[in-house]
Amino acid sequence: MANEAKAGPKASPKSKGPQLPVVLSANNLLAGDVVFLAADGWTRDPSKASVGADPETAAAMEARAASDVKANLVVDPYLVPVTIAASGLPVARHFRELIRQKGPSIHPDYGKQAEFDNRYEA
């Protein structure tokens, strides 16, 4: 898995700006699971995550997340730089985020990659 993505800084409000394109990741407060901002709310399925391809969209995604933090729906939202796979799946560039996106790294038959049948190219 470490060969699939590179170590490097995550995009955050403290950085000079996100490396586009991005998805917005957070933790669901009640379930304790990693979730992604989608068009119709928060989802566990990374393939349904909204992708911010420009700074304005990324800023709007952050504003939506800030509102949901105040409503106690999610915690710790931040932008995650991604590449878009041929299948259309946004794949995290940083290995930590790739693990959060896929789920447990013990075997490909477990986690989100199995549950949502998301195909991650090697």
Side-chain angles (χ1 to χ4, degrees):
M1 185 174 298
N3 294 338
E4 298 173 30
K6 297 180 180 179
K10 297 184 297 186
S12 72
K14 297 177 186 175
S15 67
K16 293 180 182 178
Q19 299 172 351
L20 301 171
V22 294
V23 296
L24 199 129
S25 177
N27 288 325
N28 179 294
L29 219 80
L30 295 177
D33 200 2
V34 175
V35 291
F36 304 93
L37 184 62
D40 58 350
W42 294 93
T43 180
R44 292 180 62 241
D45 186 351
S47 70
K48 295 182 180 171
S50 296
V51 177
D54 57 74
E56 294 79 18
T57 303
M61 291 165 65
E62 288 182 308
R64 165 75 188 275
S67 172
D68 288 348
V69 166
K70 288 181 183 177
N72 292 322
L73 297 175
V74 296
V75 294
D76 194 27
Y78 57 91
L79 296 173
V80 176
V82 295
T83 56
I84 307 301
S87 64
L89 177 68
V91 179
R93 291 189 219 160
H94 187 276
F95 68 88
R96 177 183 182 269
E97 299 308 320
L98 190 59
I99 292 170
R100 285 174 46 97
Q101 186 178 29
K102 286 183 174 184
S105 59
I106 55 173
H107 197 278
D109 292 337
Y110 300 103
K112 293 177 183 178
Q113 70 268 28
E115 181 178 349
F116 299 118
D117 197 31
N118 291 333
R119 301 288 180 221
Y120 293 81
E121 288 93 25

